[in-house]
C-alpha cells in the first residue's frame, strides 16, 4: 500500500538514522540552543523533573543516542521479573497444551490460545500449572453453549463424557447451565453470553477457588482445595461440539485484573516501561512545536499537530522509532500502549480532529518502521481492536419481546404492547448496527481506492490480489473441517463489499458518461475465456477448462481473435514453458513491437518464469489462458492474440485495466458486446468475486438463519400451550402446577433469548437493505447470463456458479426475507421474474451445459417456478418461440435423461384440470402435522392452459413426437409401479415376521417415491388423452392402436393391484408406516379414473366403442375393479340401481370435497356402460362360438346369464381354447401373428409391445423383418390342399 503522506515531498524511510558522519551535517538545522531545549523537552527524565538549565548536559543529534539509552534503562528487578515465578511450573509463555494435554478432537488456533470443540466433549489444559500463590486467567466466551471452565491436576483423567469438574481434583464453572462442578454439581453464578469474559481465580494460600463474570465476582465456588506435595493446578476447559473460547493467560493485558492475583504469564515489564517512556517522548513531539523565527518552543494541543516535514522533528521521530518500532511488534505492548494511546486520541477533541491525528500517527508508523515491523504492528493492532469490539455487548432493551402468529386485528392489548415494544427495540438495535456497518464500508472504500498509488501500487490492486487468494482458499476449503472464513462473516463482508463497489461504480459513471450505472452492471463474457481472471478449479458450464480450450479453440480464434498457446493446450506447468512460438509465415516481415504483441519470433525468457515459488503456486492456479504479451496497437481482423496462463501475483495494473490499444480484462471482446466499457476493469473483477462469495457460503448461511424464526414460532406455540394447560389445571394438583410453572419459565427464557437473536438476524441479515443487495446481485447474474448466451458456443466457458447464484438468490428473496419484506415490492419485480423464467426455460435442456449437478438445479428451479402463480405467469410472458421450445424439450423421450423432474413440471401444468385433482394436500393427510406451506408441492393448483395448448399442438403436428414421448411415459409407468409393488411385498413380509423388524427408512422413502412417480405419470397420461385424444383413438394413425392397448394393459394392472379385496396394497396402507404417508387409494385411483372417464365417457361414440373393445379384450380386465371405485363389492345386475356405498369401503362418493357431482355422475355412467358392454361381449362370444373372456364368463355366471344359452341350441360347448393355440408369451390371447423370416408366432398384442423396444424374435433372436396375420383355420386348409 502506498504511503499515506500524500502531500509530503519526502519518501518513506528517507529519515532513517545513518552514520555518525552524516549526523554532524544536520546539527545546523536549528541553532544549538533551540535544539538543546527541544531535545531536553522531548526526552525528559523518567521522573519528569527537569534539571536546572545550567546543570543539564547539552543535547544534540550526536549525543542523543547515548541519552536515549540512559532514558530507557530499567531496574534489574524489572528485567529479572521475566524469569520463573515462585508457585508456578512450566514455560514462561503459557499456551494450550496441544501435544499431550487434551482429550477428544479439538481445533486450536495458531496462537495456541483459541480452541473450538470438534467432538462430543473435548478437554484441553494449559502448559503451565501453579501450586502456590494467587493466580488468575481470563476466558473470552465466543459461543454460549455447553462448556465447563476451571482448573484440574495432571492426574485427572477425562473422556468424551466426563470433563473438567466431573472428576476429583478438577473444578469448573458452567455458565450455560449456571452451575459449578466438582464430581457433584450445584447452582452457582450467572448465565453467560457470547462476548462475556470469565475470570478464573485460584488462591492456593487459602485453598479457595472463585470466578468473575465481566469483572463482577460470583463468589467463592470451592474451598479446602487439596494442596501439598504433587498437587499443582492447570487451567483447563471441556467444551462440546462447535463451542469456542479464547484464553488470555497474560500474553495480553487482562480485561478485568483482580487486585492481589497474578496472571499465569508475566507481562513484559521491562519492555512495557520502555514503551511507555517512548510513548511519552512521542506525545511530547505532538504537543511541542518549534518556532525557528522566534527561537522558542510553542506548547499546543496534540489534536492540532500537523506533520510539516521539518527535518528536526523528523530526525527526532527517527530516534524515537529506532527503539519504539521493535517493541510495537509485541501484542502486549500494542494493546497496552499503542491502542490505549489511539483510543485516548479518539476521546479528545472533535471527531474530525481525532481522525486527522490518528491518520498522521499511522503515517508516521508507515514512514519510520520497516515493512515487517509495520506489518506485525498493524496486524496486532487490528486484532486487538477486533477483540475489543467484536464481543462488546450491544443489546438494547427489547422490552417484552415476543413473536405472535395471530393477525393484528386479533391481538389483545397485552399482545399489542409486547409486539410494539419488540419492534421499537429492533429499530434501536438496527440503528446501532448501521453505524458499525457504515464504518466497515468506509474501510472497504479505502481498500478499493485506486488513486492512492503515489508512485507505488494503488490499494485496489493490492486488495484484488489478496481478495482472489481469499476466494481461492475458501473455494478449495469447502467441505473441510475448519472453515477458513466463517459463513456469518462472509455474509457481512458481501453486503459491505457491494456497498463500496456500487459507490465506486457510480462515481466512475459520473465522470465517464459512456459507462453504465451500477444498476446495469454485469460481467462481460470475455472475462470467462480470456484467462485474465483466475477461477481456480471451479467447474465451467461446458466442463473442464482444458477440454474447452481444445474443443473450442477455433471458436475463440474466429469470434474473439484469441489463440491459445500450444503449450497451454498440453497443460504444461509454468516452470517448463518455452517461449518458442510458431514459425512466421514466409514473406511476412513485422516490426519487433508487433512481434512482441502476438508474433512468431522467439522472445527472451522472463526471469519470473523460472521462479520455483511461482511454479509451485501454478499447480493451484487455473490453466486458463492469460495474455502474456499485451497488444500496443489495434489488431486487424486477421491478427490473433496469443494468450497463456499468468498467476494472480504477477498481474500488473496494466494487465487489469489495460492501456493504449490494450483492453486488459476485456481482451477478446466478442462482436455481440459493446465497445464502450461498463466501468473500470478492476471493479468488474471485484463484482465477479462478490458473485463467487455468494455461491461459496452466503446462500447457505441465509438459509440457516431462517431456522431462528422457526425456533421462535415453535417455542411460542409451546409457551402458549403450557399457559393454556396452567389455566385448565385444577388448583388442588400442586405437583402438576409446579411442573407446568417450571416448563413455562424454561420456555419463556428460551423464547426471550431466541427473540433477541431474531432481532439481530432481522437487523443484520434480513433487513430491507440486505434484500436489495441480494436482488441487485440476482439482476447482475441475469444480465451476465444473457450476454454470455449471445456468444454462442463460448457460453460454455462461463463458470457454473453464475447460474447457481441466479437460482439461489431468487430462492432466498422469495423464501428467506418474508413475510417482513416481500419480493413483490422490489423495483422491476415482474421484469426480473420474466427474465429468470426465460433463462430457466432455455437452459434447462441447453446442450452447452454438461454438468449433471447444474442441469439438475436448472430443472428443479423450473419445476419450482411453475408451482407458484406469479412465477408461472412469468413463464407465460416469455416470447412464444421460447415457450414452444421449452415444451418441446419437456416432451423429449424420457429415456437417457433425468425424467422425474420433467414429469413433475408437466403435472404442475395440469394440476387443477384433472379428475379430482384440485387438492393441495391429500385428504387422508389433512389431520396430520401441517407441513411448511411454502413447499412447492403444497401450493394451490395453478394450471397453465397456454402451455397445455403448446403441448397439444406439438403432439398433434409432430408425427414422431407423440409416439416416442408416450412410449417413454408408459415404459416409466410400468417400471415405477412394478418397483412399488415389489417393495411393498418386501415391507409386508418384514411386518409379518414374528421377530420385531424395522424396515429401512431409505427403503420406505424409495417406495413412496415410486408410488408418487406412478401417480404423476398417470396424470401426464390423463392430460395427454384430454388434450389430444386422437393420439390413442384415431386408428388411422399407425401407432394409435398399439398405444391404446399398452395403456389399457397398464391401467388394468394398476386397478387389479390396488382394488383387490384384502390385498397387499390394503395391508400396507393400513400399517401407516412413517415415510409412506402419501401411499393411499385416493391419489392413484382418481388418476386412473380420470383416464378411463376420458376414454369411455367424454369421447365420441366411435372412439368410446373402440376404447371399450380394447379395454375388455385385455386379459387382465376385471369389472369388479371398476365397481370398487364406487364402493360396490360386485358388479350390479343389468337394469338395477346402484346401491349405496359401504362407508367402511373405499368409494369416490366419500370425497365430495374433492370430486364434484358431475365427475361422480361420469363414473357411474362409465360403470353402467362397461357392465352392458361386458354382457354384450360375453353373449357375442357365445353366439360366434369363440371363447369368452374368463372374467366375462364369471360375470355371466354371477348374474344368471347361462339361461341365454338355451336360446342358442346350435352353440358349441364352452370349452377353452387349446393350449397349443394360445400365445406362448401371455397365454391369454389366441395366436394371431407370425414373424418373418423365422416363422415363430404370438398374439398381436405381445409382438406389438415387444417391437417398440426390440427388433429381435422372442425365441431365436433373429431380426424380425415383418409381422403377418395368422389364422389357424386358413393355414390348416391351405396345408391340406397343398398335400
Amino acid at each position: 500500500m502506498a504511503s499515506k503522506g500524500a502531500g509530503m515531498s519526502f519518501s518513506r524511510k528517507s529519515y532513517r538514522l545513518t552514520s555518525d558522519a552524516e549526523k554532524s551535517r544536520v546539527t545546523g538545522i536549528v541553532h544549538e540552543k533551540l535544539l538543546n531545549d527541544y531535545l531536553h523537552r522531548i526526552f525528559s527524565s523518567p521522573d519528569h523533573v527537569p534539571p536546572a538549565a545550567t546543570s543539564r548536559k547539552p543535547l544534540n543529534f550526536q549525543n542523543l543516542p547515548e541519552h536515549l539509552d540512559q532514558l530507557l534503562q530499567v531496574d534489574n528487578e524489572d528485567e529479572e521479573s521475566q524469569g520463573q515465578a515462585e508457585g508456578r511450573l512450566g514455560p514462561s509463555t503459557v499456551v494450550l497444551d496441544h501435544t499431550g494435554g487434551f482429550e477428544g478432537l479439538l481445533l486450536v488456533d495458531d496462537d495456541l490460545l483459541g480452541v473450538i470443540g470438534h467432538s462430543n466433549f473435548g478437554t484441553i489444559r494449559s502448559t503451565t500449572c501453579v501450586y502456590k500463590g494467587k493466580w488468575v486467567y481470563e476466558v473470552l466466551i465466543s459461543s454460549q453453549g455447553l462448556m465447563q471452565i476451571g482448573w484440574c491436576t495432571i492426574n485427572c483423567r477425562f473422556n468424551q463424557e466426563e470433563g473438567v469438574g466431573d472428576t476429583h481434583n478438577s473444578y469448573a464453572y458452567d455458565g450455560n447451565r449456571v452451575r459449578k462442578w466438582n464430581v457433584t454439581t450445584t447452582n452457582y453464578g450467572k448465565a453467560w453470553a457470547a462476548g462475556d469474559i470469565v475470570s478464573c481465580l485460584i488462591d492456593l494460600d487459602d485453598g479457595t477457588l472463585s470466578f468473575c463474570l465481566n469483572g463482577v465476582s460470583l463468589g467463592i465456588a470451592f474451598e479446602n482445595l487439596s494442596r501439598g506435595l504433587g498437587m499443582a493446578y492447570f487451567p483447563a476447559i471441556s467444551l462440546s461440539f462447535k463451542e469456542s473460547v479464547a484464553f488470555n493467560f497474560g500474553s495480553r493485558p487482562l480485561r478485568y485484573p483482580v487486585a492481589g492475583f497474578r496472571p499465569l504469564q508475566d507481562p513484559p515489564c521491562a519492555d512495557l516501561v520502555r514503551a511507555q517512556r517512548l510513548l511519552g517522548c512521542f506525545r511530547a513531539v505532538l504537543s511541542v512545536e518549534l518556532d525557528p523565527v522566534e527561537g522558542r518552543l510553542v506548547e499546543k494541543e496534540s489534536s492540532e499537530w500537523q506533520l510539516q516535514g521539518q527535518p528536526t522533528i523528523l530526525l527526532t521521530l527517527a530516534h524515537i522509532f529506532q527503539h519504539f518500532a521493535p517493541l510495537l511488534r509485541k501484542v502486549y505492548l500494542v494493546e497496552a500502549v499503542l491502542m490505549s494511546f489511539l483510543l485516548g486520541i479518539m476521546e479528545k477533541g472533535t471527531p474530525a480532529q481525532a481522525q486527522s491525528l490518528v491518520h498522521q500517527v499511522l503515517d508516521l508508523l508507515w514512514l519510520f518502521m520497516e515493512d515487517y515491523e509495520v506489518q506485525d504492528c498493524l496486524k496486532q493492532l487490528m486484532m486487538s481492536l477486533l477483540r475489543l469490539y467484536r464481543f462488546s455487548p450491544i443489546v438494547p432493551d427489547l422490552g417484552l419481546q415476543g413473536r405472535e402468529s395471530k393477525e393484528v386485528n386479533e391481538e389483545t392489548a397485552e399482545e399489542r404492547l409486547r409486539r410494539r415494544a419488540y419492534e421499537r427495540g429492533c429499530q434501536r438495535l438496527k440503528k446501532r448496527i448501521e453505524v458499525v456497518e457504515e464504518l466497515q464500508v468506509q474501510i472497504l472504500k479505502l481498500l478499493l481506492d485506486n488513486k492512492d498509488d503515489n508512485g507505488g501500487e494503488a490499494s485496489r490492486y493490492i486488495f484484488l490480489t489478496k481478495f482472489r487468494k481469499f476466494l481461492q482458499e475458501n473455494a478449495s476449503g469447502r467441505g473441510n473441517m475448519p472453515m477458513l472464513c466463517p459463513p456469518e462473516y462472509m455474509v457481512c463482508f458481501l453486503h459491505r463489499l457491494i456497498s463500496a463497489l456500487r459507490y465506486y461504480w457510480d462515481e466512475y459513471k459520473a465522470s465517464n458518461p459512456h459507462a453504465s450505472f451500477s444498476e446495469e452492471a454485469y460481467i462481460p463474457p470475455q472475462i470467462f475465456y480470456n484467462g485474465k481472471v483466475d477461477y481456480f478449479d471451479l467447474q465451467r458450464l461446458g466442463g473442464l477448462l482444458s477440454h474447452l480450450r481444445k474443443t473450442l479453440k477455433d471458436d475463440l480464434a474466429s469470434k474473439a481473435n484469441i489463440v491459445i498457446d500450444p503449450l497451454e493446450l498440453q497443460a504444461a506447468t509454468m516452470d517448463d514453458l518455452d517461449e518458442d512460438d510458431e514459425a512466421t509465415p514466409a514473406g511476412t516481415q513485422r516490426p519487433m513491437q508487433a512481434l512482441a504483441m502476438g508474433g512468431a519470433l522467439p522472445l527472451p525468457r522472463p526471469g519470473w518464469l523460472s521462479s520455483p515459488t511461482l511454479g509451485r503456486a501454478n499447480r493451484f492456479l487455473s490453466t486458463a489462458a492469460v495474455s502474456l504479451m499485451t497488444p500496443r496497437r489495434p489488431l486487424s481482423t486477421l491478427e490473433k492474440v496469443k494468450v497463456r496462463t499468468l498467476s494472480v501475483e504477477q498481474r500488473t495494473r496494466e494487465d487489469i485495466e489495460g492501456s493504449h490499444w490494450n483492453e486488459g480484462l476485456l481482451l477478446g471482446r466478442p462482436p455481440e458486446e459493446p465497445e464502450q466499457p461498463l466501468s473500470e476493469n478492476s471493479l468488474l473483477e471485484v463484482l465477479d468475486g462478490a458473485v463467487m462469495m455468494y455461491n461459496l457460503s452466503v446462500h447457505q448461511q441465509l438459509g440457516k438463519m431462517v431456522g431462528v424464526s422457526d425456533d421462535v414460532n415453535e417455542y411460542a406455540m409451546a409457551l402458549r400451550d403450557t399457559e393454556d394447560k396452567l389455566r385448565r389445571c385444577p388448583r388442588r394438583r400442586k405437583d402438576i402446577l409446579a411442573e407446568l410453572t417450571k416448563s413455562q419459565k424454561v420456555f419463556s427464557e428460551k423464547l426471550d433469548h431466541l427473540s433477541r437473536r431474531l432481532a439481530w438476524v432481522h437487523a443484520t441479515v434480513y433487513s430491507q437493505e440486505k434484500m436489495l443487495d441480494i436482488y441487485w446481485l440476482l439482476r447482475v447474474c441475469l444480465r451476465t447470463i444473457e450476454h454470455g448466451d449471445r456468444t454462442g458456443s463460448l457460453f460454455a466457458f462461463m463458470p457454473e456458479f453464475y447460474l447457481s447464484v441466479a437460482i439461489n438468490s431468487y430462492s432466498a428473496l422469495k423464501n428467506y426475507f418474508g413475510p417482513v419484506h416481500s419480493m413483490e415490492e422490489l423495483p422491476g419485480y415482474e421484469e426480473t421474474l420474466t427474465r429468470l423464467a426465460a433463462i430457466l426455460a432455455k437452459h434447462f435442456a441447453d446442450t452447452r451445459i454438461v454438468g449433471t449437478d447444474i442441469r439438475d438445479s436448472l430443472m428443479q428451479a423450473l419445476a419450482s417456478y411453475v408451482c407458484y402463480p406469479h412465477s408461472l405467469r412469468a413463464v407465460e410472458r416469455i416470447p412464444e418461440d421460447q415457450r414452444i421450445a421449452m415444451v418441446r424439450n419437456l416432451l423429449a423421450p424420457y429415456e437417457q435423461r433425468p425424467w422425474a423432474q420433467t414429469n413433475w413440471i408437466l403435472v404442475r401444468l395440469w394440476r387443477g384440470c384433472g379428475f379430482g385433482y384440485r387438492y393441495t394436500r391429500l385428504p387422508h393427510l389433512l389431520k396430520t402435522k401441517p407441513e411448511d406451506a411454502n413447499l412447492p408441492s403444497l401450493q394451490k393448483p395453478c394450471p397453465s392452459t397456454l402451455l397445455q395448448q403448446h403441448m397439444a399442438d406439438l403432439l398433434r403436428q409432430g408425427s414422431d413426437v407423440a409416439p416416442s414421448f408416450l412410449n417413454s411415459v408408459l415404459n416409466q409407468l410400468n417400471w415405477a409401479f412394478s418397483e412399488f409393488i415389489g417393495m411393498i411385498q418386501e415391507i409386508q413380509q418384514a411386518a409379518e415376521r414374528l421377530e420385531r423388524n424395522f424396515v429401512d427408512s431409505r427403503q420406505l422413502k424409495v417406495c413412496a417415491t415410486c408410488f408418487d412417480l406412478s401417480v404423476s405419470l398417470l396424470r401426464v397420461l390423463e392430460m395427454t388423452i384430454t388434450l389430444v385424444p386422437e393420439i390413442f383413438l384415431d386408428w388411422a394413425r399407425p401407432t394409435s392402436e398399439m398405444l391404446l392397448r399398452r395403456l389399457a394393459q397398464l391401467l388394468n394392472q394398476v386397478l387389479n393391484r390396488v382394488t383387490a379385496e384384502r390385498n397387499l396394497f390394503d395391508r400396507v396402507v393400513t400399517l401407516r408406516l412413517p415415510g409412506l404417508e402419501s401411499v393411499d387409494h385416493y391419489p392413484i385411483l382418481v388418476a386412473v379414473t380420470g383416464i378411463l372417464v376420458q376414454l369411455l365417457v367424454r369421447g365420441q361414440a366411435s372412439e368410446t366403442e373402440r376404447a371399450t373393445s380394447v379395454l375388455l379384450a385385455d386379459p387382465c380386465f376385471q369389472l369388479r375393479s371398476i365397481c370398487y371405485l364406487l364402493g360396490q363389492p360386485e358388479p350390479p345386475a343389468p337394469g338395477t340401481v346402484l346401491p349405496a356405498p359401504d362407508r367402511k369401503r373405499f368409494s369416490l362418493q366419500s370425497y365430495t370435497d374433492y370430486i364434484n357431482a358431475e365427475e361422480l355422475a361420469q363414473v357411474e355412467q362409465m360403470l353402467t356402460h362397461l357392465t352392458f358392454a361386458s354382457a354384450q361381449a360375453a353373449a357375442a362370444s357365445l353366439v360366434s362360438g369363440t371363447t369368452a373372456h374368463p372374467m366375462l364368463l364369471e360375470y355371466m355366471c354371477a348374474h344368471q346369464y347361462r339361461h341365454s344359452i338355451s336360446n342358442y341350441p346350435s352353440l358349441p360347448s364352452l370349452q377353452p381354447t387349446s393350449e397349443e393355440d394360445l400365445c406362448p408369451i401371455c397365454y391369454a390371447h389366441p395366436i394371431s401373428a407370425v414373424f418373418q423370416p423365422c416363422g415363430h408366432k404370438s398374439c398381436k398384442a405381445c409382438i406389438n409391445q415387444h417391437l417398440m423396444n426390440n427388433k429381435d424374435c422372442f425365441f431365436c433372436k433373429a431380426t424380425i423383418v415383418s409381422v403377418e396375420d395368422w389364422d389357424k383355420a386358413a393355414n390348416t386348409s391351405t396345408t391340406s390342399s397343398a398335400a
Side-chain angles (χ1 to χ4, degrees), residues 302-340:
S302 59
S303 59
E304 301 175 3
W305 187 80
Q306 294 291 329
L307 180 60
Q308 302 295 337
Q310 300 98 324
T312 302
I313 296 177
L314 291 173
L315 283 171
T316 303
L317 289 171
H319 280 83
I320 294 174
F321 277 95
Q322 182 79 9
H323 299 272
F324 203 14
L327 297 176
L328 291 181
R329 297 180 62 196
K330 299 182 179 181
V331 59
Y332 192 101
L333 301 180
V334 168
E335 192 164 323
V337 178
L338 181 60
M339 189 176 71
S340 300

Side-chain angles (χ1 to χ4, degrees), residues 962-1189:
S964 59
F965 170 69
L966 290 173
N967 276 327
S968 64
V969 173
L970 293 170
N971 288 340
Q972 299 302 337
L973 175 60
N974 184 38
W975 168 83
F977 191 73
S978 300
E979 288 291 318
F980 168 70
I981 294 299
M983 288 183 181
I984 63 174
Q985 287 175 346
E986 296 178 6
I987 293 171
Q988 175 64 19
Q989 292 171 3
E992 290 179 348
R993 295 193 185 104
L994 295 179
E995 64 273 15
R996 186 172 181 83
N997 290 281
F998 294 94
V999 183
D1000 187 1
S1001 59
R1002 290 174 297 179
Q1003 184 181 8
L1004 295 175
K1005 185 176 181 180
V1006 172
C1007 180
T1009 301
C1010 289
F1011 179 80
D1012 294 338
L1013 288 174
S1014 301
V1015 173
S1016 63
L1017 288 163
L1018 287 169
R1019 287 297 184 181
V1020 170
L1021 290 171
E1022 180 192 15
M1023 175 171 62
T1024 306
I1025 294 170
T1026 304
L1027 297 176
V1028 200
E1030 59 268 26
I1031 293 178
F1032 291 90
L1033 301 175
D1034 182 8
W1035 284 10
R1037 293 172 174 261
T1039 58
S1040 294
E1041 181 181 0
M1042 177 189 67
L1043 290 173
L1044 185 58
R1045 292 187 184 278
R1046 285 200 69 192
L1047 177 64
Q1049 181 184 21
L1050 286 171
L1051 293 180
N1052 284 325
Q1053 290 178 4
V1054 173
L1055 283 172
N1056 293 343
R1057 289 286 192 176
V1058 176
T1059 62
E1061 293 291 335
R1062 294 178 296 278
N1063 67 350
L1064 179 63
F1065 187 87
D1066 271 337
R1067 291 195 293 271
V1068 171
V1069 169
T1070 305
L1071 291 174
R1072 294 297 178 193
L1073 296 173
L1076 294 183
E1077 292 87 354
S1078 63
V1079 178
D1080 194 67
H1081 293 82
Y1082 180 83
I1084 195 165
L1085 289 181
V1086 291
V1088 173
T1089 304
I1091 298 174
L1092 293 175
V1093 166
Q1094 186 62 39
L1095 289 173
L1096 303 175
V1097 177
R1098 297 174 182 171
Q1100 300 178 3
S1102 59
E1103 295 175 345
T1104 300
E1105 181 180 353
R1106 195 171 294 141
T1108 303
S1109 63
V1110 171
L1111 187 66
L1112 297 180
D1114 187 80
C1116 297
F1117 174 75
Q1118 296 182 25
L1119 189 59
R1120 178 192 55 76
S1121 298
I1122 307 298
C1123 299
Y1124 185 92
L1125 299 176
L1126 293 175
Q1128 308 300 331
E1130 295 293 343
T1136 62
V1137 180
L1138 293 174
D1142 185 354
R1143 293 189 178 275
K1144 297 181 180 180
R1145 301 172 59 88
F1146 174 85
S1147 174
L1148 295 178
Q1149 296 173 347
S1150 304
Y1151 296 90
T1152 54
D1153 292 338
Y1154 305 92
I1155 303 174
N1156 56 40
E1158 180 184 358
E1159 290 174 333
L1160 286 174
Q1162 291 173 345
V1163 178
E1164 295 175 358
Q1165 182 181 349
M1166 177 184 69
L1167 178 58
T1168 303
H1169 169 74
L1170 287 176
T1171 301
F1172 282 102
S1174 300
Q1176 292 175 0
S1181 64
L1182 294 176
V1183 172
S1184 62
T1186 59
T1187 303
H1189 191 292

Side-chain angles (χ1 to χ4, degrees), residues 14 52 144 183 226 304 328 346 356 382 407 441 519 578 628 650-651 654 669 791-792 919 1098 1168 1186 1271:
S14 57
Q144 58 188 22
V183 182
S226 298
E304 301 175 3
L328 291 181
M346 299 303 297
S356 174
M382 289 300 298
E407 297 294 334
V441 172
E519 277 297 332
D578 292 322
L628 182 60
Q650 297 302 322
R651 290 191 311 171
E654 185 177 315
R669 179 179 59 84
T791 62
Y919 55 82
R1098 297 174 182 171
T1168 303
T1186 59
D1271 182 72

Side-chain angles (χ1 to χ4, degrees), residues 204-432:
L204 291 171
D205 296 336
D206 293 339
T208 60
L209 196 151
S210 57
F211 298 90
C212 298
L213 185 63
N214 297 324
V216 179
S217 176
L218 302 178
I220 295 178
F222 303 100
E223 297 178 315
N224 301 320
L225 301 184
S226 298
R227 291 169 289 172
L229 188 62
M231 296 302 298
Y233 291 89
F234 291 83
I237 184 174
S238 297
L239 63 174
S240 56
F241 184 70
K242 290 296 184 183
E243 304 301 334
S244 59
V245 297
F247 284 84
N248 181 12
F249 298 112
S251 60
R252 301 187 306 274
L254 295 179
R255 184 77 62 85
Y256 302 104
V258 180
F261 286 81
R262 296 178 59 183
L264 268 74
Q265 179 173 328
D266 289 327
C269 297
D271 287 340
L272 182 60
V273 171
R274 295 187 184 99
Q276 290 171 341
R277 291 177 182 177
L278 288 167
L279 179 62
C281 298
F282 184 69
R283 287 176 182 272
V285 172
L286 300 182
S287 60
V288 176
E289 188 175 287
L290 281 169
D291 186 353
V293 178
E294 298 290 335
R296 63 189 181 90
L297 303 179
V298 180
E299 299 283 344
K300 61 188 306 182
E301 291 291 334
S302 59
S303 59
E304 301 175 3
W305 187 80
Q306 294 291 329
L307 180 60
Q308 302 295 337
Q310 300 98 324
T312 302
I313 296 177
L314 291 173
L315 283 171
T316 303
L317 289 171
H319 280 83
I320 294 174
F321 277 95
Q322 182 79 9
H323 299 272
F324 203 14
L327 297 176
L328 291 181
R329 297 180 62 196
K330 299 182 179 181
V331 59
Y332 192 101
L333 301 180
V334 168
E335 192 164 323
V337 178
L338 181 60
M339 189 176 71
S340 300
F341 169 63
L342 294 176
L343 292 177
I345 292 176
M346 299 303 297
E347 295 174 357
K348 298 178 181 179
T350 65
Q353 290 176 330
Q355 290 182 13
S356 174
L357 183 56
V358 170
H359 191 136
Q360 294 185 77
V361 170
L362 294 178
D363 281 343
L364 294 176
L365 297 181
W366 187 259
L367 183 64
F368 290 105
M369 297 174 69
E370 298 289 349
D371 285 338
Y372 66 92
E373 293 172 340
V374 74
Q375 181 177 357
D376 290 346
C377 175
L378 292 180
K379 178 181 177 181
Q380 299 296 350
L381 179 61
M382 289 300 298
M383 294 304 298
S384 298
L385 289 171
L386 284 174
R387 278 191 294 267
L388 184 65
Y389 170 75
R390 177 188 173 192
F391 296 107
S392 295
I394 303 179
V395 186
D397 182 18
L398 297 181
L400 298 172
Q401 64 274 0
R403 180 182 174 91
E404 302 294 337
S405 59
K406 296 182 179 181
E407 297 294 334
V408 174
N409 55 5
E410 298 178 358
E411 288 181 336
T412 64
E414 181 183 356
E415 290 170 343
R416 190 179 303 110
L417 174 65
R418 294 171 62 187
R419 178 175 60 81
R420 291 177 178 175
Y422 182 73
E423 291 173 352
R424 289 194 300 270
C426 291
Q427 288 300 320
R428 290 195 297 269
L429 178 62
K430 183 179 178 182
K431 290 180 180 179
R432 297 284 297 273

Side-chain angles (χ1 to χ4, degrees), residues 547-557 793-794 796-797:
H547 169 73
L548 292 175
R549 288 183 306 167
K550 293 176 182 178
T551 57
L552 298 178
K553 60 181 180 180
D554 294 336
D555 292 334
L556 284 172
S793 59
L794 299 184
F797 281 95

Side-chain angles (χ1 to χ4, degrees), residues 24 353 481 578 737:
S24 60
Q353 290 176 330
M481 285 193 303
D578 292 322
L737 285 172

Side-chain angles (χ1 to χ4, degrees), residues 464-478 484 490 493 497 533-538 685-694 696 801:
L464 275 178
T465 300
K466 295 186 178 297
F467 184 43
R468 215 67 197 178
K469 288 182 179 179
F470 167 80
L471 294 174
Q472 181 181 5
E473 291 170 353
N474 283 272
S476 60
R478 296 179 73 186
L484 295 172
M490 193 83 86
F493 183 23
L497 184 62
V533 177
D534 184 10
Y535 288 102
F536 330 126
D537 56 350
L538 297 179
E685 184 171 348
V686 175
L687 176 57
D688 175 78
V691 177
M692 190 186 299
M693 279 177 61
Y694 186 91
L696 290 178
F801 65 78

